[in-house]
Amino acid sequence: MYDHSFNQITLMRMLRTSDFRENPKLYVESEKLVTLDEAISSAKTVFQGGNPLINFEQGGKRIYYANKLAHELVLRKVCSNIKRLVRIQQPNRESIVETLTHLVSEGVPYRLFRLDIKSFYESFATDEVSKTVGALSGISPLTHRLVDELLCHFMASGGTGVPRGLALSATLADVMMMSFDREVKRMQGVYFYARYVDDIVIITNGSEKEPTFLKKIQSLLPAGLLLHNNKRDIITVPDVVTPAKTGTVVNDLFIFSYLGYKITVTEPVKIRDLKPKSHHRAVRVGIADSKIKKIKFRILRSLTAFLKDGDFYLLTHRIKYLTSNFSVRDINRDKNKRAGIYYSYPQITEAPDNGLDELDDFLRRAILNGHGRPFSRISAALSSKQKRTLLTHSFRKGHTQRFFVYFHPKLIKNIQMCWENG
C-alpha cells in the first residue's frame, strides 16, 4: 500500500542516483541520515525555516528550484503523493504528431485549431491551485499544507501562478487542467484533442462557428489562463479532395507548426482506378522554422566562439553534436536516452523542404562564404583543411543514416557552454 507520510523510508525512496553524484557525502550513512532528518523536519514544520525556493532568470522567465536537497526531497514526495492520486498520464510528443499527421491526411472536411496558452505557469490563480489540490480525494492534510505553504513563500517573493521549473509545478498545472482536457474532448464535433503543456491542437468536423467555439474554449480554462491571440492557427479544410494529375505542380493547402515540427498538407496526386474522394491528402513533415532558426544560431555561436578561443577541437565537436546522434545516460533510471538530429525529429518525412538541406546549406555557407559579417571573419580564420573537416558533417546524413557518436558528459557540458539562452 502506498504511504503518503513523510518519514525516513518514504523520503529515502525520493533519493536519486544523481543526488549521490552531486553530493558524494550521501554515500556516508550518517551524512545521508542527516539529510533525511532535515527533510523530515522541513515537512513536519511545513517549511517554517524559510522559503525553500531560489530562482534565476532565463529567457525572460524566472526559473525556480529547491535551495537544498532536503527541501527537494520533500517536494519530490509531495509530487509523488499527488501523482499517485490523480494518475496523470504524460502525453508523448511523437505519438501526438504521428496521430495528427494521419488525421490531417483524411479526405474529409475538418477544422484545425492550434492554440497556445499565454504565460502558462505564471497565470494560474494561485489560491485556486491550493483549493483544487485540497479537494483531491485522498490527499493527506500534510501534503496539502506543504503545497499551500510553498505557494505562499512563492507569492511572498513576487511570484504569480505556480513556480516555473519545478516538477511539482508541472504536476500542479496538469491537475488544474484535468477538467479542461476532459471537457474539450467531450465537446460536440471534436474528434481529436491534444495538449502538450501550453500547446493545444483540436480537430473538429468543421460545423462549429469559430468565434463561439473559441469563446467556449476560453470559458473552460482555469481561472487566470488566457488563449494567446497572436499564437494561433485556425484552418478550415473543405470536403472536396481534388487529386492532381501526375507530373503537375501540387499546391500546398495549408502549413502549420506544432511541437517543433512544420506540417504541410497538399492535395494528393491522382492514383489510377481510385475514386477522387477515396484519396488521402499528402502530408509532409519537417523541422519547424523556429527550431531551424535555433540550430542556425547555435552554428553561428559555435563558429564565433572559435574566433575567440581558436579551439578547433571543440568547434568540430560542436558541429558534430548538432549534426549527429548520441546517447545520454539517465543515471536516475539507469538507462540510456537517445538524442540528436534524428531522435529530436523522428517524424520528418523525406522531402526537400524538411529543413535538413536548409541546415546543410547554411553550415556550408557559414564555413565557405567570405562575404558579409560574420561569415568573412569565420572563413578567413579557418584553414582549407579545417574547412574540409567541418564539411564532412551533415544534418541530412545524421538524420537519414542515424549517425551515432559518443560524447563524454564533460565534453557535452563544454560543447553546450556557448549556446546559453540559445
Side-chain angles (χ1 to χ4, degrees):
M1 184 175 178
Y2 182 81
D3 188 351
H4 286 259
S5 64
F6 294 75
N7 57 53
Q8 194 175 92
I9 294 175
T10 60
L11 288 169
M12 188 180 295
R13 290 171 182 158
M14 297 298 108
L15 284 168
R16 300 171 179 171
T17 305
S18 58
D19 297 327
F20 289 84
R21 177 172 291 183
E22 295 169 7
N23 304 274
K25 289 183 178 180
L26 291 174
Y27 286 109
V28 180
E29 187 67 17
S30 59
E31 293 290 340
K32 181 171 68 176
L33 292 176
V34 167
T35 300
L36 292 172
D37 287 342
E38 186 180 3
I40 293 169
S41 177
S42 294
K44 288 183 176 179
T45 61
V46 196
F47 302 126
Q48 290 303 308
N51 189 347
L53 301 177
I54 53 179
N55 65 82
F56 63 94
E57 186 172 337
Q58 185 179 69
K61 302 284 187 181
R62 305 305 303 183
I63 310 299
Y64 292 80
Y65 60 100
N67 57 11
K68 54 184 174 181
L69 181 57
H71 288 152
E72 173 63 21
L73 295 179
V74 175
L75 295 180
R76 288 177 191 171
K77 178 58 178 169
V78 170
C79 187
S80 177
N81 287 355
I82 295 173
K83 280 187 172 182
R84 185 57 83 131
L85 293 174
V86 296
R87 298 187 181 277
I88 296 169
Q89 186 174 3
Q90 296 299 323
N92 181 278
R93 171 179 176 254
E94 303 308 328
S95 295
I96 292 173
V97 173
E98 185 176 7
T99 302
L100 183 59
T101 55
H102 173 73
L103 290 174
V104 296
S105 73
E106 295 289 339
V108 296
Y110 61 84
R111 183 174 288 129
L112 183 145
F113 294 84
R114 195 208 62 77
L115 308 171
D116 178 86
I117 299 173
K118 189 176 181 180
S119 300
F120 184 62
Y121 287 107
E122 293 79 11
S123 296
F124 285 102
T126 311
D127 57 340
E128 289 298 319
V129 175
S130 179
K131 289 179 184 178
T132 302
V133 171
L136 291 174
S137 177
I139 190 77
S140 71
L142 182 53
T143 298
H144 181 214
R145 286 175 59 205
L146 285 165
V147 170
D148 198 37
E149 190 66 22
L150 175 75
L151 295 176
C152 285
H153 281 298
F154 170 62
M155 288 190 295
S157 64
T160 60
V162 294
R164 181 181 291 266
L166 298 180
L168 173 58
S169 292
T171 298
L172 294 176
D174 280 337
V175 168
M176 295 299 294
M177 294 296 289
M178 284 193 303
S179 175
F180 174 82
D181 294 339
R182 182 174 58 251
E183 292 303 317
V184 174
K185 289 177 182 178
R186 291 176 177 174
M187 287 178 66
Q188 186 175 0
V190 171
Y191 64 86
F192 177 75
Y193 165 83
R195 179 182 62 83
Y196 196 89
V197 190
D198 56 352
D199 287 326
I200 297 169
V201 65
I202 305 169
I203 298 180
T204 71
N205 59 19
S207 62
E208 74 288 334
K209 294 181 179 179
E210 291 179 24
T212 304
F213 185 82
L214 290 172
K215 187 176 181 179
K216 178 64 175 177
I217 294 294
Q218 178 62 66
S219 71
L220 292 173
L221 284 170
L225 299 191
L226 294 172
L227 294 177
H228 206 304
N229 291 329
N230 298 325
K231 292 184 179 180
R232 65 173 59 167
D233 293 303
I234 302 174
I235 300 160
T236 302
V237 180
D239 60 343
V240 178
V241 180
T242 310
K245 294 181 180 179
T246 304
T248 60
V249 176
V250 180
N251 295 322
D252 296 336
L253 282 175
F254 64 90
I255 301 172
F256 70 101
S257 295
Y258 191 62
L259 301 186
Y261 288 99
K262 180 172 71 174
I263 300 172
T264 304
V265 180
T266 68
E267 293 288 17
V269 175
K270 182 173 177 56
I271 300 175
R272 182 182 292 182
D273 300 328
L274 189 63
K275 295 180 179 179
K277 288 188 177 181
S278 298
H279 284 71
H280 281 67
R281 294 182 172 95
V283 180
R284 304 193 308 274
V285 182
I287 304 172
D289 292 343
S290 60
K291 298 301 181 182
I292 290 176
K293 183 179 179 180
K294 184 175 183 178
I295 296 171
K296 288 179 178 179
F297 174 84
R298 289 184 170 183
I299 292 172
L300 281 178
R301 272 286 183 92
S302 301
L303 291 165
T304 52
F306 169 73
L307 290 177
K308 295 178 181 179
D309 59 30
D311 192 335
F312 184 72
Y313 173 84
L314 191 53
L315 171 60
T316 303
H317 281 84
R318 281 175 172 149
I319 300 302
K320 185 183 294 186
Y321 182 94
L322 291 171
T323 58
S324 61
N325 303 282
F326 47 91
S327 292
V328 178
R329 187 67 178 173
D330 186 339
I331 59 176
N332 294 317
R333 297 183 180 181
D334 194 28
K335 65 178 183 179
N336 291 330
K337 179 182 177 181
R338 292 178 174 180
I341 189 63
Y342 173 79
Y343 292 97
S344 294
Y345 305 101
Q347 300 297 328
I348 67 175
T349 54
E350 182 58 41
D353 61 348
N354 62 12
L356 297 174
D357 289 339
E358 181 180 345
L359 288 170
D360 278 339
D361 181 62
F362 181 84
L363 177 61
R364 177 175 292 275
R365 287 189 294 109
I367 294 169
L368 297 178
N369 195 335
H371 303 289
R373 297 183 63 187
F375 289 170
S376 58
R377 293 178 58 213
I378 293 168
S379 182
L382 292 167
S383 69
S384 297
K385 183 178 180 180
Q386 288 173 331
K387 291 176 183 178
R388 287 195 298 271
T389 298
L390 294 176
L391 291 173
T392 60
H393 303 296
S394 161
F395 287 93
R396 176 164 288 281
K397 182 171 68 175
H399 192 278
T400 57
Q401 298 181 15
R402 304 185 193 182
F403 187 69
F404 253 80
V405 293
Y406 170 77
F407 296 102
H408 191 279
K410 289 184 178 179
L411 179 57
I412 290 179
K413 186 176 181 179
N414 288 334
I415 285 171
Q416 297 175 338
M417 195 175 297
C418 73
W419 300 335
E420 188 175 347
N421 297 326

